[in-house]
Amino acid sequence: MDCLFCKIANKQISSNIVYEDDEIAAFTDVSPKAPVHILIIPKKHIPTVLDLTVEDCALIGRLYMIANKIATDKKIDKSGFRLVMNCNRDAGQSVFHIHLHMLGGRVMSWPPG
Ligand code: AMP
């Protein structure tokens, strides 16, 4: 499948992986928007949030558990961080394999642009 994040998950394309297990990989964003900017992905190819099924519920829950662990590892748990999953055009989704952005290490404004 011609999917950038599938290729990262199966190591056809190199990345800076900070966490990996059978179902999930997390790697640093190539164009970071904060001092800590990590993408947490399921290895299963799911194009957008709209493609989730009830069978994916536990998997999506695990993305958040991994975010929890990474926040502690990167020492941004107490200062805080933002988790974002963009969907389709208006949100600016550019890679159609779902990914949870973890942004931290600086104060962020609200609402996002
Ligand atoms: P989105 O716009 O929400 O689809 O986010 C896609 C993200 O993937 C962007 O923040 C990009 O900087 C990031 N990205 C694109 N290519 C790579 C890559 N090869 N390795 C790591 N991150 C990437």
Side-chain angles (χ1 to χ4, degrees):
M1 184 179 298
D2 192 24
C3 167
L4 175 63
F5 286 177
C6 283
K7 287 178 178 168
I8 286 177
N10 67 27
K11 315 281 172 53
Q12 283 176 264
I13 291 177
S14 64
S15 68
N16 181 30
I17 291 183
V18 299
Y19 176 86
E20 183 174 22
D21 62 35
D22 287 350
E23 293 185 316
I24 290 172
F27 48 93
T28 55
D29 195 294
V30 77
S31 177
K33 302 299 185 286
V36 177
H37 188 173
I38 291 166
L39 302 175
I40 307 167
I41 68 166
K43 291 186 173 178
K44 176 182 176 183
H45 182 76
I46 303 171
T48 80
V49 166
L50 297 169
D51 299 300
L52 290 171
T53 68
V54 70
E55 284 76 34
D56 299 317
C57 287
L59 179 62
I60 297 310
R62 289 202 63 235
L63 294 182
Y64 284 84
M65 295 307 296
I66 300 307
N68 185 334
K69 173 186 160 33
I70 293 171
T72 307
D73 291 349
K74 297 289 180 185
K75 300 188 180 3
I76 56 169
D77 50 334
K78 293 196 172 53
S79 52
F81 54 92
R82 186 168 287 171
L83 297 171
V84 176
M85 193 176 283
N86 294 319
C87 183
N88 281 340
R89 184 195 59 210
D90 280 2
Q93 184 176 4
S94 61
V95 177
F96 287 82
H97 178 132
I98 59 168
H99 46 282
L100 193 59
H101 292 261
M102 166 174 256
L103 298 140
R106 66 169 171 83
V107 174
M108 271 163 257
S109 58
W110 189 264

